[in-house]
Amino acid sequence: MQKDEGPASEPTNELTRRELLERAAAAGLVLALPPVFGASGAGAARDFLGKPGGRFRFALSYDSPTGTFDPAREVIDADGCRRTNTFDTVMALTKDHRAQLRLASLVEPNKTGTVWTVRLRHGVTFHNGKDCTADDLIYSIRRILNPQTASGRRTFLAAVDPKRLRKRDKLTVEIALTRPNSDMPLALALTEVVQNGATYKSFKTHPIGTGPFMFVSWTPGRETLWKRNPNYWHAGQPKVDELELVVIQDNGARINALLSGQVNAIERIDPARVKELQRNPAVRVLIRRVNAMVPITMRLDRKPFTDARVRQAMRLIADRKQMVQSAFNGYATVANDLYGRGQPFYNNELPQREQDLDRAKSLLKKAGAKGLTFKLSTSDAVPGMSESATVFAEQAKKAGIKVILDKIPSDSYFGTRYPYSFGQSAWADNPLNQFYELGLLINSPFPETKWRKPSWDKHFRDAQATLNQHKKKQIYFDLQEVLWNQGGYLQWSDSQYLDAVQKSVRGISTHPQYPLGSYDFRTVTVR
Amino acid sequence: VIQPFGRLRAPLKGEPHRLLGYAVRRILAGFVTLFVVSIVVFMTTSLLPGDAAVAALGKGAQPELVKTVRHELGLDKPPVQRYADWLKGVAHGDFGKSILTDTPVRDLIGDRIVNSVILALVAGLLLIPLSLFLGATTAARADGLVDRSVMSSTLVAISLPEFVIGTILILLFAQKLHLLPPVSLYDVGVNPLSQPTKLVLPVLTLIAGSMAQTIRLVRAGVIEVSRSEYVQMARLKGVSGARLMRRHILRNALVPAIQVFALALQWMVGAIVVTELVFAYPGVGTALVQAVGARDLPVVQALALFISAVYITLNVVADLLVVFLTPRLRTG
């Protein structure tokens, strides 16, 4: 499927000429561009953007004493930051949610998609000097699959048969599946290769990976420090000598730290302050459209949402533009009740759903739900939740129904279960298939809407079973049409990550999973 | 919190050793209070929804995994036994290990406590002389220009929460005048006193919030004392100016002021949590917020116990000072 047998020089963050121009424009710089980009254009462009060396210090909005380096046990964003810079995944996600080779030089299925061959790159070593081999990859996959590891990635690798992982040679592994899965490359983009024998405990004291940065010290909940991995397999990466994660919870203090130069970059700036920061010549605001969302959820197994007409009515009540405006100050994109806008299999042929109060009223009337009172569970757990709920409740009045807000303290809103018939959830950016696997299948771990339709499940598995991209896309479009007509999510927006960096910071990647270029700092420069 | 003086008279009739006895009783009572506080903290934290296992596994973890991790962390033991284990450790000076990071609590919060104590001490040491001076000055010329301007500005400060004061100070000193850093980020292991410019704004915030109260109470005390008969007498005898203020008025106004300062310092213990958050100062406040979020009970308990210990100590010290400085309370 994907092949890269050449030396370790394949750029992971492809920077096209157009992107470079966009970035230059965003930076307000007039660049004297070299007339032609040759074969090594991307690399040259990066060098052009900044000099290597120095320390890159960035502030996240949250970290916790529960934080971890264990890539299989990631819970909070700061864990994602730690794993991304310390370890390498077999594949890497691109900004449009495709998988690209990273630690592997080859990832290839057999004709039926039931056996996948993964060959690791030559000459990759762990931070302690040991070679990264097939044994490490097999151990890493088995570790994720072991229920005792309590890994959230188990869902994506569920088709892998741990007993039939075969080492073909020093660097090559055959992964046999119990059913065909064409989404394996995306699952491998969430599979870090750890050292054979590494445990949750060893990650606490001495996390060792193959990643661009090496662990130096860690004060849980406060500070994480890395240094450059001088033997990194990717020539010319990483750029900076040191990497430091600090935590500043207060939104204002985070911006102040950036403005006073105490940190080089901050994540998640307050939407109300974007304009002010854009006027400041010392900093640059990064706005990234992603597939994160804070949707309203309706549970299909609880009345009155058992009736698809009620669910559709709710979706027709929403004035999405107004919700985006008041919840995010306009810094979000109106969504069409479907997850994953911009992804390869996103159904962009369905019309944008607009507010239609008359149709909503008549649907409610037909469903016998007229004059009902709805209790919407909300919270301040994630920005935008309670604000959008308040606006939605106002809009519902116009359709003649009453929505009462049940506000739950933010630290107890998301428990082990999601018990709300009518609530608000929060999702990070995921590839489309992974969102379905996590939330919409019969045995999904987060069945917030209790969608659970056997026929839909079967159809989804059909899509996974085919290696034909065209056929797969067709099935995905059908799956989404069903969701658009009957689903339990009222998805009114796609979020945007709002981050800010000092003018001197260059090379923040465009990956969408987390803020600040998915915290992937291998190409960042500060000079 | 402030005890009426009359209460102290009975056990203290005359004898110096009565003072010692009072001190011992007062300190013992402090320990009893601390013990009660530890039970209350333990009970309330167990009432919080979710626990360390849930916090560590993240939202939506599968129930059977939560069960496994809960067992690993010893959370499935009965609460009374967990509490007893913990208390036994504390009695031996061992605050236990953080259930989540598996490191001794002392290592985890030791430097945070030091940082907060430094912040509070610097603020306290500036607060006391400053409010005595301003309180006496304003009282000496009550209703004068200085008095009215100090009174009205402190009225503004008293009615603003710390995070607003902090933000105003940042706006003024950091963003407009570029004199001071707006955040107080310190590297791990760095003593805040080695970078004093980062301390200025948090200290000013703490002082601004508490000084309004202390100045007003010192001022009221001074005015009250200066109306007393013995001050009238001193005046009639020809004592005046600074000497009258220092020797006759302030010395007598000082005793009630001690309780006021104890109260102000106790307020500071609470205000420090918010102030630290505004300035991202690495102290107990930020540590406590994180530990509660992660349901890390040993850390929460150690911090709560520390904060209550500070409260109780301030109270005991203030009570003893009052008795020590008031001859009529010592001799009855």
Side-chain angles (χ1 to χ4, degrees):
Chain A
M1 176 174 230
Q2 297 207 32
K3 243 177 170 168
D4 175 21
E5 296 285 27
S9 64
E10 167 260 343
T12 42
N13 302 324
E14 199 74 50
L15 197 68
T16 62
R17 184 187 164 90
R18 189 163 156 240
E19 273 176 81
L20 178 71
L21 285 167
E22 276 171 4
R23 263 186 224 181
L29 289 176
V30 181
L31 287 177
L33 284 168
V36 180
F37 282 129
S40 62
R46 267 199 300 279
D47 292 339
F48 190 69
L49 284 171
K51 288 197 191 79
R55 176 185 280 204
F56 180 61
R57 201 178 195 215
F58 56 99
L60 301 194
S61 55
Y62 182 71
D63 198 354
S64 152
T66 57
T68 181
F69 265 93
D70 187 342
R73 283 276 289 263
E74 165 189 354
V75 174
I76 53 174
D77 282 5
D79 295 342
C81 176
R82 277 184 282 269
R83 74 160 169 88
T84 305
N85 291 294
T86 319
F87 302 90
D88 276 321
T89 40
V90 178
M91 305 283 284
L93 274 186
T94 63
K95 65 170 183 173
D96 54 356
H97 298 86
R98 291 173 203 272
Q100 186 179 42
L101 295 168
R102 179 160 275 174
L103 211 52
S105 60
L106 168 89
V107 171
E108 197 175 52
N110 63 355
K111 281 207 177 91
T112 52
T114 49
V115 179
W116 286 75
T117 305
V118 176
R119 184 176 306 140
L120 295 171
R121 286 177 189 280
H122 280 288
V124 176
T125 55
F126 283 99
H127 296 154
N128 58 3
K130 287 197 178 142
D131 286 343
C132 174
T133 66
D135 293 322
D136 301 306
L137 177 58
I138 291 176
Y139 176 80
S140 305
I141 294 176
R142 285 211 177 116
R143 187 165 179 269
I144 291 173
L145 290 172
N146 182 350
Q148 289 304 312
T149 310
S151 176
R153 280 91 183 275
R154 194 150 60 107
T155 309
F156 311 131
L157 289 173
V160 175
D161 183 349
K163 287 182 206 114
R164 285 167 59 218
L165 284 166
R166 202 169 70 86
K167 176 180 172 182
R168 219 163 66 190
D169 60 46
K170 192 173 171 249
L171 294 175
T172 314
V173 176
E174 267 178 25
I175 305 171
L177 309 181
T178 51
R179 54 178 159 79
N181 185 357
S182 57
D183 293 324
M184 269 306 277
L186 290 167
L188 291 171
L190 277 177
T191 305
E192 277 83 5
V193 180
V194 302
Q195 216 170 8
N196 191 358
T199 60
Y200 185 62
K201 277 235 159 68
S202 72
F203 286 121
K204 261 182 193 167
T205 51
H206 209 68
I208 289 172
T210 62
F213 293 97
M214 293 159 66
F215 167 83
V216 173
S217 68
W218 179 32
T219 312
R222 188 168 160 195
E223 186 185 277
T224 311
L225 190 65
W226 292 263
K227 65 179 179 201
R228 184 173 182 274
N229 175 4
N231 303 316
Y232 193 54
W233 55 267
H234 194 300
Q237 287 182 2
K239 304 281 184 186
V240 291
D241 292 334
E242 286 174 308
L243 197 63
E244 186 184 3
L245 180 170
V246 296
V247 187
I248 306 178
Q249 275 183 283
D250 186 78
N251 286 333
R254 211 155 56 245
I255 290 177
N256 288 332
L258 179 75
L259 293 178
S260 64
Q262 295 194 46
V263 296
N264 302 111
I266 56 171
E267 67 161 3
R268 297 182 195 278
I269 54 178
D270 186 346
R273 296 191 65 180
V274 169
K275 288 247 153 62
E276 167 209 331
L277 289 173
Q278 279 172 333
R279 280 196 300 268
N280 189 324
V283 300
R284 196 148 40 100
V285 177
L286 307 174
I287 299 175
R288 185 140 303 143
R289 294 178 171 201
V290 295
N291 291 138
M293 61 168 177
V294 277
I296 291 175
T297 61
M298 299 169 276
R299 261 178 71 161
L300 271 72
D301 62 341
R302 297 256 178 93
K303 276 190 174 162
F305 300 113
T306 44
D307 191 326
R309 288 172 296 193
V310 177
R311 302 197 294 273
Q312 289 301 85
M314 291 298 156
R315 288 163 150 193
L316 289 167
I317 283 170
D319 177 348
R320 292 145 205 259
K321 271 206 192 89
Q322 196 184 22
M323 289 170 87
V324 163
Q325 197 54 45
S326 50
F328 298 117
N329 213 20
Y331 291 101
T333 322
V334 164
N336 194 21
D337 294 325
L338 291 175
Y339 187 81
R341 187 188 292 274
Q343 295 198 21
F345 299 130
Y346 174 80
N347 188 337
N348 49 10
E349 288 169 3
L350 294 165
Q352 171 63 48
R353 186 164 278 139
E354 306 282 354
Q355 186 182 46
D356 187 341
L357 296 174
D358 293 334
R359 257 194 77 206
K361 276 185 205 161
S362 87
L363 279 171
L364 286 170
K365 198 175 167 188
K366 277 182 206 151
K370 214 177 148 231
L372 273 184
T373 301
F374 296 82
K375 189 185 82 177
L376 177 59
S377 304
T378 181
S379 159
D380 282 324
V382 174
M385 277 171 77
S386 62
E387 296 88 343
S388 58
T390 311
V391 176
F392 181 76
E394 281 302 312
Q395 294 168 355
K397 273 186 199 158
K398 290 183 206 148
I401 62 166
K402 202 171 172 187
V403 172
I404 300 170
L405 300 183
D406 176 27
K407 198 156 178 182
I408 292 160
S410 47
D411 66 340
S412 49
Y413 187 78
F414 291 112
T416 41
R417 280 173 305 133
Y418 182 83
Y420 313 112
S421 319
F422 193 36
Q424 282 180 304
S425 170
W427 282 82
D429 186 282
N430 296 281
L432 197 48
N433 70 296
Q434 294 184 354
F435 169 66
Y436 293 160
E437 288 177 292
L438 289 172
L440 293 181
L441 301 182
I442 287 170
N443 49 14
S444 286
F446 308 108
E448 294 167 344
T449 59
K450 297 276 191 287
W451 172 247
R452 293 183 167 165
K453 296 237 188 286
S455 60
W456 199 87
D457 262 42
K458 199 192 152 289
H459 219 37
F460 174 76
R461 293 296 180 208
D462 289 345
Q464 249 182 355
T466 178
L467 290 168
N468 179 333
Q469 297 291 298
H470 184 73
K471 193 175 156 202
K472 190 169 176 178
K473 187 173 177 179
Q474 196 48 55
I475 301 179
Y476 264 80
F477 271 43
D478 293 347
L479 287 169
Q480 289 171 86
E481 201 170 332
V482 178
L483 291 176
W484 193 75
N485 285 318
Q486 300 173 37
Y489 280 107
L490 193 180
Q491 189 190 345
W492 49 274
S493 80
D494 275 305
S495 302
Q496 293 176 2
Y497 286 145
L498 306 172
D499 309 314
V501 298
Q502 287 180 320
K503 265 281 145 76
S504 57
V505 172
R506 299 270 182 276
I508 297 273
S509 96
T510 47
H511 294 178
Q513 195 184 3
Y514 303 104
L516 279 175
S518 225
Y519 307 137
D520 189 342
F521 298 131
R522 65 194 73 207
T523 53
V524 167
T525 58
V526 291
R527 304 186 194 181
Chain B
V1 183
I2 303 179
Q3 303 296 344
F5 290 10
R7 184 174 66 84
L8 309 177
R9 274 192 203 129
L12 283 173
K13 257 176 203 149
E15 313 295 326
H17 71 263
R18 292 261 169 103
L19 181 63
L20 190 69
Y22 170 72
V24 170
R25 271 198 303 282
R26 200 65 194 77
I27 290 166
L28 278 179
F31 276 106
V32 173
T33 317
L34 210 53
F35 174 70
V36 174
V37 165
S38 76
I39 294 177
V40 172
V41 167
F42 188 87
M43 272 169 37
T44 44
T45 43
S46 348
L47 286 178
L48 287 172
D51 61 21
V54 177
L57 288 172
K59 61 167 186 171
Q62 281 108 325
E64 68 266 30
L65 290 174
V66 174
K67 209 175 153 191
T68 316
V69 174
R70 200 170 272 157
H71 180 72
E72 280 170 20
L73 300 176
L75 295 174
D76 49 355
K77 287 188 203 162
V80 178
Q81 194 193 333
R82 272 187 288 141
Y83 177 71
D85 290 350
W86 176 75
L87 198 64
K88 214 192 300 173
V90 171
H92 293 88
D94 171 17
F95 283 88
K97 280 180 174 178
S98 151
I99 24 182
L100 296 160
T101 53
D102 205 31
T103 40
V105 171
R106 208 181 328 158
D107 298 356
L108 216 60
I109 59 174
D111 69 325
R112 304 277 197 135
I113 287 181
V114 171
N115 289 351
S116 287
V117 166
I118 288 173
L119 188 59
L121 267 184
V122 173
L125 286 177
L126 289 171
L127 172 76
I128 294 171
L130 216 60
S131 28
L132 281 179
F133 174 75
L134 285 175
T137 319
T138 50
R141 287 185 188 76
D143 294 328
L145 186 67
V146 178
D147 181 37
R148 263 184 281 164
S149 56
V150 170
M151 283 306 105
S152 50
S153 56
T154 51
L155 190 69
V156 173
I158 206 172
S159 41
L160 289 176
E162 308 85 70
F163 61 88
V164 175
I165 298 178
T167 311
I168 292 173
L169 288 175
I170 290 171
L171 207 64
L172 192 65
F173 289 103
Q175 292 189 353
K176 294 281 170 241
L177 300 173
H178 298 287
L179 284 175
L180 295 162
V183 274
S184 311
L185 282 178
Y186 287 98
D187 288 332
V188 173
V190 169
N191 187 327
L193 289 173
S194 66
Q195 295 166 12
T197 49
K198 291 183 185 171
L199 269 177
V200 177
L201 290 184
V203 164
L204 276 182
T205 307
L206 285 175
I207 292 181
S210 48
M211 201 163 64
Q213 238 160 351
T214 50
I215 290 179
R216 283 170 169 262
L217 287 162
V218 169
R219 177 180 174 272
V222 167
I223 289 175
E224 196 189 320
V225 172
S226 52
R227 284 184 192 144
S228 68
E229 284 170 8
Y230 57 84
V231 172
Q232 298 284 350
M233 178 61 81
R235 274 213 188 94
L236 290 174
K237 280 184 170 173
V239 189
S240 65
R243 187 181 154 87
L244 177 73
M245 179 60 80
R246 221 173 44 240
R247 283 212 145 175
H248 298 273
I249 302 177
L250 214 47
R251 196 169 278 194
N252 283 297
L254 199 61
V255 175
I258 287 171
Q259 296 283 15
V260 173
F261 284 123
L263 202 65
L265 291 174
Q266 285 165 350
W267 171 87
M268 234 181 235
V269 173
I272 236 171
V273 175
V274 179
T275 308
E276 283 178 0
L277 211 61
V278 171
F279 291 96
Y281 184 90
V284 286
T286 35
L288 187 60
V289 170
Q290 281 183 337
V292 171
R295 303 286 185 266
D296 199 347
L297 288 196
V299 176
V300 175
Q301 284 158 350
L303 285 173
L305 214 60
F306 169 74
I307 290 171
S308 349
V310 170
Y311 245 89
I312 291 165
T313 310
L314 283 171
N315 240 332
V316 172
V317 169
D319 280 358
L320 293 179
L321 267 180
V322 165
V323 176
F324 191 71
L325 289 177
T326 317
R328 64 176 183 280
L329 291 182
R330 251 180 292 153
T331 53

